[in-house]
mmCIF file of all heavy atoms in Angstrom:
data_model
loop_
_atom_site.group_PDB
_atom_site.id
_atom_site.type_symbol
_atom_site.label_atom_id
_atom_site.label_comp_id
_atom_site.label_asym_id
_atom_site.label_seq_id
_atom_site.Cartn_x
_atom_site.Cartn_y
_atom_site.Cartn_z
ATOM 1 N N TYR R 39 18.698 15.986 -7.430
ATOM 2 C CA TYR R 39 19.222 17.205 -8.082
ATOM 3 C C TYR R 39 20.450 17.755 -7.370
ATOM 4 O O TYR R 39 20.998 18.772 -7.767
ATOM 5 C CB TYR R 39 18.100 18.240 -8.216
ATOM 6 C CG TYR R 39 17.008 17.720 -9.123
ATOM 7 C CD1 TYR R 39 15.853 17.150 -8.601
ATOM 8 C CD2 TYR R 39 17.174 17.727 -10.507
ATOM 9 C CE1 TYR R 39 14.876 16.612 -9.437
ATOM 10 C CE2 TYR R 39 16.199 17.197 -11.347
ATOM 11 C CZ TYR R 39 15.064 16.638 -10.800
ATOM 12 O OH TYR R 39 14.112 16.099 -11.628
ATOM 13 N N ARG R 40 20.876 17.059 -6.335
ATOM 14 C CA ARG R 40 22.087 17.417 -5.582
ATOM 15 C C ARG R 40 22.123 18.890 -5.195
ATOM 16 O O ARG R 40 23.113 19.591 -5.385
ATOM 17 C CB ARG R 40 23.352 17.070 -6.401
ATOM 18 C CG ARG R 40 23.512 15.593 -6.616
ATOM 19 C CD ARG R 40 24.629 15.301 -7.581
ATOM 20 N NE ARG R 40 24.626 13.911 -7.955
ATOM 21 C CZ ARG R 40 25.242 12.937 -7.272
ATOM 22 N NH1 ARG R 40 25.909 13.213 -6.188
ATOM 23 N NH2 ARG R 40 25.176 11.690 -7.698
ATOM 24 N N ILE R 41 20.975 19.339 -4.681
ATOM 25 C CA ILE R 41 20.879 20.725 -4.211
ATOM 26 C C ILE R 41 19.836 20.758 -3.089
ATOM 27 O O ILE R 41 18.850 20.007 -3.141
ATOM 28 C CB ILE R 41 20.482 21.671 -5.383
ATOM 29 C CG1 ILE R 41 20.473 23.144 -4.932
ATOM 30 C CG2 ILE R 41 19.149 21.302 -6.013
ATOM 31 C CD1 ILE R 41 20.378 24.149 -6.083
ATOM 32 N N SER R 42 20.084 21.572 -2.084
ATOM 33 C CA SER R 42 19.077 21.670 -1.025
ATOM 34 C C SER R 42 17.887 22.465 -1.573
ATOM 35 O O SER R 42 18.045 23.298 -2.482
ATOM 36 C CB SER R 42 19.658 22.371 0.201
ATOM 37 O OG SER R 42 19.831 23.749 -0.068
ATOM 38 N N ILE R 43 16.717 22.204 -1.023
ATOM 39 C CA ILE R 43 15.524 22.926 -1.488
ATOM 40 C C ILE R 43 15.705 24.421 -1.235
ATOM 41 O O ILE R 43 15.332 25.246 -2.066
ATOM 42 C CB ILE R 43 14.255 22.352 -0.836
ATOM 43 C CG1 ILE R 43 14.007 20.947 -1.398
ATOM 44 C CG2 ILE R 43 13.046 23.242 -1.082
ATOM 45 C CD1 ILE R 43 12.856 20.190 -0.799
ATOM 46 N N ALA R 44 16.329 24.770 -0.113
ATOM 47 C CA ALA R 44 16.563 26.180 0.195
ATOM 48 C C ALA R 44 17.412 26.829 -0.908
ATOM 49 O O ALA R 44 17.086 27.917 -1.401
ATOM 50 C CB ALA R 44 17.239 26.313 1.546
ATOM 51 N N ASP R 45 18.488 26.163 -1.324
ATOM 52 C CA ASP R 45 19.340 26.722 -2.392
ATOM 53 C C ASP R 45 18.595 26.767 -3.716
ATOM 54 O O ASP R 45 18.761 27.701 -4.506
ATOM 55 C CB ASP R 45 20.624 25.895 -2.554
ATOM 56 C CG ASP R 45 21.598 26.148 -1.413
ATOM 57 O OD1 ASP R 45 21.379 27.122 -0.654
ATOM 58 O OD2 ASP R 45 22.552 25.361 -1.262
ATOM 59 N N PHE R 46 17.778 25.738 -3.959
ATOM 60 C CA PHE R 46 17.027 25.703 -5.221
ATOM 61 C C PHE R 46 16.095 26.909 -5.325
ATOM 62 O O PHE R 46 16.043 27.590 -6.344
ATOM 63 C CB PHE R 46 16.225 24.396 -5.333
ATOM 64 C CG PHE R 46 15.643 24.174 -6.701
ATOM 65 C CD1 PHE R 46 16.343 23.476 -7.678
ATOM 66 C CD2 PHE R 46 14.391 24.693 -7.031
ATOM 67 C CE1 PHE R 46 15.814 23.294 -8.959
ATOM 68 C CE2 PHE R 46 13.857 24.521 -8.300
ATOM 69 C CZ PHE R 46 14.565 23.811 -9.271
ATOM 70 N N PHE R 47 15.380 27.188 -4.242
ATOM 71 C CA PHE R 47 14.483 28.350 -4.225
ATOM 72 C C PHE R 47 15.270 29.651 -4.405
ATOM 73 O O PHE R 47 14.754 30.618 -4.962
ATOM 74 C CB PHE R 47 13.684 28.409 -2.918
ATOM 75 C CG PHE R 47 12.354 27.689 -2.970
ATOM 76 C CD1 PHE R 47 12.299 26.306 -2.977
ATOM 77 C CD2 PHE R 47 11.163 28.394 -3.002
ATOM 78 C CE1 PHE R 47 11.077 25.629 -3.020
ATOM 79 C CE2 PHE R 47 9.925 27.734 -3.036
ATOM 80 C CZ PHE R 47 9.892 26.353 -3.036
ATOM 81 N N GLY R 48 16.509 29.661 -3.919
ATOM 82 C CA GLY R 48 17.331 30.861 -4.063
ATOM 83 C C GLY R 48 17.752 31.097 -5.507
ATOM 84 O O GLY R 48 17.953 32.240 -5.926
ATOM 85 N N LYS R 49 17.881 30.009 -6.273
ATOM 86 C CA LYS R 49 18.402 30.129 -7.644
ATOM 87 C C LYS R 49 17.329 30.123 -8.719
ATOM 88 O O LYS R 49 17.517 30.670 -9.790
ATOM 89 C CB LYS R 49 19.325 28.937 -7.933
ATOM 90 C CG LYS R 49 20.689 29.036 -7.308
ATOM 91 C CD LYS R 49 21.576 27.963 -7.890
ATOM 92 C CE LYS R 49 22.961 28.065 -7.287
ATOM 93 N NZ LYS R 49 23.721 26.839 -7.447
ATOM 94 N N TYR R 50 16.246 29.404 -8.464
ATOM 95 C CA TYR R 50 15.237 29.222 -9.509
ATOM 96 C C TYR R 50 13.870 29.660 -9.009
ATOM 97 O O TYR R 50 13.652 29.856 -7.818
ATOM 98 C CB TYR R 50 15.175 27.749 -9.942
ATOM 99 C CG TYR R 50 16.508 27.178 -10.327
ATOM 100 C CD1 TYR R 50 17.229 26.396 -9.433
ATOM 101 C CD2 TYR R 50 17.060 27.436 -11.586
ATOM 102 C CE1 TYR R 50 18.471 25.876 -9.769
ATOM 103 C CE2 TYR R 50 18.298 26.914 -11.926
ATOM 104 C CZ TYR R 50 19.005 26.137 -11.016
ATOM 105 O OH TYR R 50 20.226 25.637 -11.351
ATOM 106 N N ASP R 51 12.961 29.699 -9.971
ATOM 107 C CA ASP R 51 11.600 30.112 -9.661
ATOM 108 C C ASP R 51 10.824 28.986 -8.958
ATOM 109 O O ASP R 51 11.070 27.811 -9.221
ATOM 110 C CB ASP R 51 10.935 30.417 -11.013
ATOM 111 C CG ASP R 51 9.711 31.248 -10.839
ATOM 112 O OD1 ASP R 51 9.872 32.475 -10.752
ATOM 113 O OD2 ASP R 51 8.605 30.661 -10.777
ATOM 114 N N GLU R 52 9.888 29.374 -8.102
ATOM 115 C CA GLU R 52 9.087 28.353 -7.401
ATOM 116 C C GLU R 52 8.318 27.463 -8.388
ATOM 117 O O GLU R 52 8.106 26.272 -8.122
ATOM 118 C CB GLU R 52 8.103 29.024 -6.427
ATOM 119 C CG GLU R 52 7.313 27.998 -5.627
ATOM 120 C CD GLU R 52 6.292 28.598 -4.656
ATOM 121 O OE1 GLU R 52 6.387 29.801 -4.353
ATOM 122 O OE2 GLU R 52 5.397 27.849 -4.222
ATOM 123 N N THR R 53 7.924 28.055 -9.545
ATOM 124 C CA THR R 53 7.165 27.265 -10.532
ATOM 125 C C THR R 53 7.944 26.031 -10.975
ATOM 126 O O THR R 53 7.367 24.965 -11.183
ATOM 127 C CB THR R 53 6.892 28.131 -11.799
ATOM 128 O OG1 THR R 53 6.596 29.452 -11.357
ATOM 129 C CG2 THR R 53 5.783 27.599 -12.634
ATOM 130 N N ILE R 54 9.246 26.191 -11.122
ATOM 131 C CA ILE R 54 10.075 25.053 -11.551
ATOM 132 C C ILE R 54 10.054 23.987 -10.456
ATOM 133 O O ILE R 54 9.905 22.796 -10.729
ATOM 134 C CB ILE R 54 11.525 25.503 -11.857
ATOM 135 C CG1 ILE R 54 11.502 26.621 -12.898
ATOM 136 C CG2 ILE R 54 12.377 24.340 -12.336
ATOM 137 C CD1 ILE R 54 12.873 27.211 -13.193
ATOM 138 N N PHE R 55 10.173 24.435 -9.204
ATOM 139 C CA PHE R 55 10.110 23.489 -8.089
ATOM 140 C C PHE R 55 8.782 22.729 -8.098
ATOM 141 O O PHE R 55 8.758 21.507 -7.945
ATOM 142 C CB PHE R 55 10.282 24.222 -6.752
ATOM 143 C CG PHE R 55 10.126 23.314 -5.566
ATOM 144 C CD1 PHE R 55 11.153 22.466 -5.178
ATOM 145 C CD2 PHE R 55 8.937 23.290 -4.841
ATOM 146 C CE1 PHE R 55 11.003 21.602 -4.090
ATOM 147 C CE2 PHE R 55 8.781 22.428 -3.751
ATOM 148 C CZ PHE R 55 9.816 21.592 -3.379
ATOM 149 N N ARG R 56 7.678 23.435 -8.307
ATOM 150 C CA ARG R 56 6.359 22.797 -8.254
ATOM 151 C C ARG R 56 6.201 21.767 -9.377
ATOM 152 O O ARG R 56 5.533 20.749 -9.199
ATOM 153 C CB ARG R 56 5.242 23.841 -8.320
ATOM 154 C CG ARG R 56 5.206 24.801 -7.132
ATOM 155 C CD ARG R 56 5.076 24.091 -5.796
ATOM 156 N NE ARG R 56 5.215 25.012 -4.652
ATOM 157 C CZ ARG R 56 5.362 24.609 -3.407
ATOM 158 N NH1 ARG R 56 5.392 23.320 -3.096
ATOM 159 N NH2 ARG R 56 5.507 25.486 -2.432
ATOM 160 N N ASN R 57 6.786 22.054 -10.535
ATOM 161 C CA ASN R 57 6.711 21.090 -11.644
ATOM 162 C C ASN R 57 7.498 19.824 -11.343
ATOM 163 O O ASN R 57 7.029 18.712 -11.585
ATOM 164 C CB ASN R 57 7.213 21.730 -12.942
ATOM 165 C CG ASN R 57 6.110 22.531 -13.604
ATOM 166 O OD1 ASN R 57 5.071 21.997 -13.980
ATOM 167 N ND2 ASN R 57 6.310 23.834 -13.722
ATOM 168 N N ILE R 58 8.699 20.007 -10.806
ATOM 169 C CA ILE R 58 9.515 18.837 -10.465
ATOM 170 C C ILE R 58 8.825 18.038 -9.352
ATOM 171 O O ILE R 58 8.764 16.815 -9.380
ATOM 172 C CB ILE R 58 10.938 19.267 -10.027
ATOM 173 C CG1 ILE R 58 11.643 19.974 -11.181
ATOM 174 C CG2 ILE R 58 11.738 18.052 -9.567
ATOM 175 C CD1 ILE R 58 13.023 20.534 -10.823
ATOM 176 N N GLU R 59 8.290 18.769 -8.387
ATOM 177 C CA GLU R 59 7.601 18.129 -7.259
ATOM 178 C C GLU R 59 6.438 17.271 -7.767
ATOM 179 O O GLU R 59 6.236 16.143 -7.319
ATOM 180 C CB GLU R 59 7.099 19.237 -6.319
ATOM 181 C CG GLU R 59 6.410 18.753 -5.067
ATOM 182 C CD GLU R 59 5.911 19.931 -4.208
ATOM 183 O OE1 GLU R 59 5.233 20.846 -4.735
ATOM 184 O OE2 GLU R 59 6.188 19.933 -2.998
ATOM 185 N N ARG R 60 5.711 17.807 -8.740
ATOM 186 C CA ARG R 60 4.599 17.031 -9.314
ATOM 187 C C ARG R 60 5.118 15.755 -9.981
ATOM 188 O O ARG R 60 4.546 14.675 -9.835
ATOM 189 C CB ARG R 60 3.818 17.865 -10.325
ATOM 190 C CG ARG R 60 2.756 17.028 -11.034
ATOM 191 C CD ARG R 60 1.897 17.824 -11.976
ATOM 192 N NE ARG R 60 2.676 18.539 -12.974
ATOM 193 C CZ ARG R 60 2.154 19.273 -13.941
ATOM 194 N NH1 ARG R 60 0.845 19.400 -14.029
ATOM 195 N NH2 ARG R 60 2.911 19.900 -14.801
#
Side-chain angles (χ1 to χ4, degrees):
Y39 296 98
R40 294 172 190 273
I41 184 168
S42 72
I43 291 176
D45 286 347
F46 191 91
F47 269 73
K49 283 191 179 161
Y50 307 100
D51 198 84
E52 183 181 343
T53 321
I54 304 176
F55 176 78
R56 296 303 173 192
N57 277 299
I58 298 176
E59 182 181 50
R60 174 176 56 178

